[in-house]
Amino acid sequence: MKQEVRNNKLANTSGRLRPPIIAVLGHVDHGKTTLLDAIRKTSVAAREAGGITQSIGASVVATKGGPITFIDTPGHAAFSKMRSQGAKVADIAVLVVDASGGVKPQTLEALQIIREAQIPFIVCVTKMDLPSASLEAVQGQLEKEGVSFEGRGGDVPLVSVSAKKGIGVNELLETIILVSEVKGVEGSPEANLEAVVIETSQSKGGPLVSVIVRCGTLKVGEEVFCEDKTTKVKGLFDEKSKPISVVLPSEPAQILGFEELPAVGSIIRSVAEAVPFQKQETTPQRPHYAGLKEGQIPVIIKAKNAGALEAILANLPKEVVVIDSGVGDIYESDVLRVKASSAKYIFAFESKASGDVLKLATSEGVKIEIFKVIYELFDKLNEIIKGGQVEILGKAEIVASFPFDKKKIAGCKLQEGKIAKSDAIILMRQDKEIGRVRIVSLKKQKTEITEAKNGEEFGILFEPQLDFAVGDMLVSVRK
């Protein structure tokens, strides 16, 4: 590889090399952020909810070979589109694989994303300090997926590391620099501006747009063009949220000044260099509220940033109907929108709700659920869905009514299934629920029984003594 670097430098005299942009991809909990912590000497992983990365972050790291920009992408299955966007922006990918866990579903998905982006990649095998670590097993699994490693007939570098012990980290950085020099990453500060939107969010000061500059220079005060709108850059902030005035090639930044959030993946250019607008792919939306069917749950979905919102909307259970969605905090208008639609829930990911909003929600009977870990949001939705479903065990028609000790016994004929004394019973009238009761006594003729079967006639004494009528139905259910 070193000879390739020398040849590449001789050939690459017309362009100007810039720091490489690296996408770190892999399965959830395979050590991506812990690896970046070891590189950046930070503690990002310890601060993450649930121990997983849930948004695209970017940071610049100084190394002996020069600066490197890292994009940390989520590993959870819900964030497929976000990983894809990260790979499209990057020059090189680092595919992280747990040495003890091996190749997993998101590993394969990340590998496919890398191939579709047509960028070179490095395999980084993590957690080599664990007793169950096996470098050979990981190599074998990836070779079955068509990965050809250096020294084994291919050109994909492999680096083994223990991020916790700091072993192999410098070798990984050196390999990244070598691959970037072979690739010949170009991007001059004097070139036309090209910045890629990698994330969007709402702040107290207004919409914030996270970008990485690939070419040119982004400055405070200049006018930029994105999609079909012109925007003046009111403020720029680095990855630590500190104000800056200039952003150079390969550097990440947040832009303050947009009135509306542009699509993730869209390109920002200088107004003077703007070309006719071609609409970017928009965030896929679930069908919005247009009346409910039985078993459907209407909700409003809010998220702190656009990437997370996109991931949630794309992975909701089919029973969930989105009546509205948006980026930012939860407001009184969201509560009133839910109330007007006869819905009950607002589900939010990393968004906030003020005390006044929570108070209004309580008074209006609207439940606000806020989550810091995305899979907990999905778990809660599935819990609600399952909680609203019942398994019908049997149905019986009330064919007669008999007085008994100032109460009434329902004479019934079982039409289907069975009814047991321990079952929950719903009293139905013309497909409408009258109420729920429990069985006090279940008799066939004069004999007490524990269960009535299909076709049998029997009598039921139930509580509370709802006002039933001949022709009503008793339905036994199990949640």
Side-chain angles (χ1 to χ4, degrees):
M1 182 178 285
K2 290 183 179 179
Q3 182 61 46
E4 285 186 76
V5 171
R6 285 193 289 270
N7 293 340
N8 185 270
K9 285 183 175 179
L10 289 172
N12 188 31
T13 55
S14 60
R16 181 168 175 180
L17 295 180
R18 59 170 170 78
I21 301 170
I22 311 299
V24 182
L25 305 171
H27 191 78
V28 64
D29 198 33
H30 272 207
K32 297 183 299 297
T33 305
T34 302
L35 173 63
L36 284 173
D37 283 349
I39 293 171
R40 296 178 300 207
K41 294 181 172 59
T42 63
S43 57
V44 175
R47 297 196 301 269
E48 287 176 349
I52 62 173
T53 300
Q54 302 176 114
S55 63
I56 291 182
S59 56
V60 180
V61 175
T63 75
K64 292 180 181 179
I68 301 173
T69 298
F70 284 95
I71 304 174
D72 187 11
T73 62
H76 189 273
F79 292 103
S80 175
K81 188 67 179 293
M82 293 174 72
R83 287 192 292 276
S84 178
Q85 293 291 0
K88 288 177 181 177
V89 177
D91 304 303
I92 301 164
V94 172
L95 178 62
V96 174
V97 187
D98 182 344
S100 62
V103 173
K104 298 291 184 182
Q106 273 76 64
T107 312
L108 298 177
E109 182 202 74
L111 182 59
Q112 181 62 28
I113 288 170
I114 291 167
R115 286 168 169 164
E116 289 174 357
Q118 297 182 342
I119 57 175
F121 68 101
I122 301 163
V123 172
C124 178
V125 182
T126 59
K127 304 184 183 182
M128 287 298 296
D129 54 296
L130 297 179
S132 57
S134 175
L135 183 64
E136 293 75 17
V138 172
Q139 279 185 296
Q141 290 169 356
L142 287 173
E143 284 175 337
K144 288 181 180 178
E145 300 300 327
V147 178
S148 299
F149 291 103
E150 286 184 343
R152 297 168 71 131
D155 59 358
V156 177
L158 182 145
V159 181
S160 59
V161 306
S162 168
K164 288 187 176 180
K165 294 187 176 182
I167 300 171
V169 174
N170 288 333
E171 183 184 349
L172 174 63
L173 296 176
E174 291 170 2
T175 304
I176 289 172
I177 293 297
L178 283 172
V179 174
S180 69
E181 290 178 346
V182 169
K183 178 179 172 63
V185 176
E186 295 183 9
S188 170
E190 290 78 33
N192 292 341
L193 175 65
E194 180 185 306
V196 184
V197 177
I198 61 171
E199 187 56 280
T200 61
S201 60
Q202 291 282 357
S203 70
K204 292 182 180 179
L208 274 179
V209 177
S210 299
V211 302
I212 289 183
V213 174
R214 289 184 60 87
C215 295
T217 303
L218 181 62
K219 302 176 183 177
V220 172
E222 74 172 312
E223 288 192 336
V224 295
F225 187 86
C226 184
E227 296 183 333
D228 59 347
K229 296 180 178 63
T230 299
T231 299
K232 185 174 182 179
V233 179
K234 296 180 181 178
L236 290 170
F237 306 90
D238 65 13
E239 69 268 22
K240 297 179 181 178
S241 299
K242 293 182 179 180
I244 52 177
S245 57
V246 173
V247 186
L248 298 174
S250 296
E251 292 181 349
Q254 287 186 313
I255 302 174
L256 181 65
F258 283 85
E259 292 184 3
E260 297 180 10
L261 294 173
V264 173
S266 56
I267 305 298
I268 296 175
R269 306 183 189 278
S270 295
V271 169
E273 303 154 0
V275 295
F277 170 64
Q278 292 183 347
K279 190 171 181 61
Q280 303 286 329
E281 180 182 351
T282 57
T283 299
Q285 299 288 327
R286 293 290 297 259
H288 279 220
Y289 180 74
L292 290 175
K293 297 179 182 178
E294 185 178 354
Q296 290 184 321
I297 300 173
V299 299
I300 278 182
I301 302 290
K302 299 297 290 283
K304 184 180 179 180
N305 56 59
L309 179 64
E310 180 179 15
I312 293 168
L313 293 176
N315 290 276
L316 289 174
K318 66 180 184 301
E319 295 87 353
V320 175
V321 177
V322 178
I323 61 173
D324 202 1
S325 63
V327 173
D329 291 337
I330 303 167
Y331 301 107
E332 292 183 356
S333 58
D334 296 317
V335 176
L336 297 175
R337 177 80 175 92
V338 169
K339 183 67 176 179
S341 66
S342 301
K344 295 181 180 179
Y345 298 100
I346 297 176
F347 275 76
F349 177 64
E350 293 189 326
S351 298
K352 297 178 181 178
S354 68
D356 288 340
V357 170
L358 293 174
K359 185 177 180 181
L360 176 64
T362 300
S363 66
E364 295 293 344
V366 174
K367 191 167 183 60
I368 295 176
E369 298 273 5
I370 300 176
F371 301 87
K372 292 184 179 180
V373 180
I374 195 166
Y375 56 72
E376 290 180 357
L377 183 152
F378 294 127
D379 287 347
K380 184 62 178 180
L381 277 171
N382 286 321
E383 180 184 318
I384 292 171
I385 291 167
K386 291 179 180 178
Q389 294 175 340
V390 293
E391 180 185 355
I392 296 177
L393 303 175
K395 294 181 179 180
E397 181 183 3
I398 298 177
V399 296
S401 175
F402 307 102
F404 173 77
D405 195 20
K406 297 183 180 180
K407 297 179 181 179
K408 290 195 303 181
I409 293 176
C412 305
K413 182 173 182 178
L414 199 60
Q415 292 187 337
E416 62 180 73
K418 60 183 180 179
I419 289 181
K421 193 171 181 179
S422 59
D423 291 344
I425 304 296
I426 303 174
L427 176 63
M428 304 288 295
R429 181 173 299 158
Q430 296 179 347
D431 295 328
K432 292 184 179 180
E433 182 176 324
I434 302 300
R436 300 199 173 206
V437 298
R438 63 180 182 86
I439 299 175
V440 176
S441 176
L442 183 64
K443 289 186 176 183
K444 185 176 179 181
Q445 296 180 349
K446 295 183 179 182
T447 304
E448 189 76 22
I449 58 176
T450 58
E451 182 179 278
K453 299 178 181 178
N454 189 20
E456 292 182 342
E457 294 185 352
F458 55 93
I460 289 184
L461 176 63
F462 54 75
E463 291 182 351
Q465 277 276 294
L466 299 179
D467 187 20
F468 66 85
V470 172
D472 290 348
M473 299 290 295
L474 293 176
V475 180
S476 64
V477 297
R478 177 172 58 207
K479 281 197 172 186

